[in-house]
Amino acid sequence: MASVNKVILVGNLGRDPEMRTFPSGDQVANVTLATTDKWRDKQSGEPREHTEWHRLVFNGRLAEIAGQYLRKGSQIYVEGSIRTRKWQDQQTGQDRYSTEVRVDQMQMLGSRQGMGGPSDDGGDGFDAPRRAAPAPRTAPAARAPTAAAKPSSGFDDMDDDIPF
């Protein structure tokens, strides 16, 4: 039986992206994302909430976009997969584990300030670079050949030998 490792999150960044550049020139951006569940307690009727923090890792072009446009408080939508890394604590020598979401696609949400408030320019709350640089650039390019290979649901896939 096949397995699936897919994560979809919508939340707010807890800090500015932490950028690293490797000698090869590749970039990695690490951020923390907060997702909050809100509900009303059935017994007391009081509102409750629970915030979960997620470690996100952006690679390549997504890392560049994250470093350039994302800031603490920015609201984003991400898709990716869960990865667990094993590393050794240099102080104690003990093995440690970090669970992260390796981001494949990202979409910036909210206003220019990333806080969900109105923009100060009277526009729609988004500036041109945000619209011009949605992160799912790499994944759709990889999927484009499969989408093009499928026949369309229009009249293109019908035979010319129609009897009427």
Side-chain angles (χ1 to χ4, degrees), residues 88-100:
Q88 200 169 56
D89 189 330
Q90 292 181 354
Q91 294 177 348
T92 64
Q94 292 182 323
D95 288 343
R96 301 284 181 163
Y97 298 88
S98 296
T99 301
E100 308 165 328

Side-chain angles (χ1 to χ4, degrees), residues 141-155:
R143 283 190 281 212
T146 58
K150 293 181 182 177
S152 70
S153 60
F155 295 105

Side-chain angles (χ1 to χ4, degrees), residues 19-48:
M19 300 297 297
R20 287 188 312 208
T21 303
F22 294 107
S24 65
D26 291 340
Q27 289 188 324
V28 173
N30 294 302
V31 299
T32 56
L33 185 77
T35 57
T36 303
D37 290 327
K38 295 182 181 185
W39 70 95
R40 188 163 299 278
D41 187 278
K42 290 182 180 179
Q43 293 181 354
S44 67
E46 294 180 22
R48 302 274 188 208

Side-chain angles (χ1 to χ4, degrees), residues 100-159:
E100 308 165 328
V101 175
R102 184 175 175 194
V103 178
D104 298 325
Q105 295 183 24
M106 184 262 296
Q107 180 68 49
M108 293 173 269
L109 307 172
S111 71
R112 176 189 315 211
Q113 293 81 13
M115 302 300 284
S119 65
D120 56 357
D121 62 358
D124 61 358
F126 291 94
D127 56 355
R130 285 182 185 247
R131 240 182 296 174
R137 295 245 184 246
T138 55
R143 283 190 281 212
T146 58
K150 293 181 182 177
S152 70
S153 60
F155 295 105
D156 298 334
D157 56 339
M158 294 184 138
D159 290 332

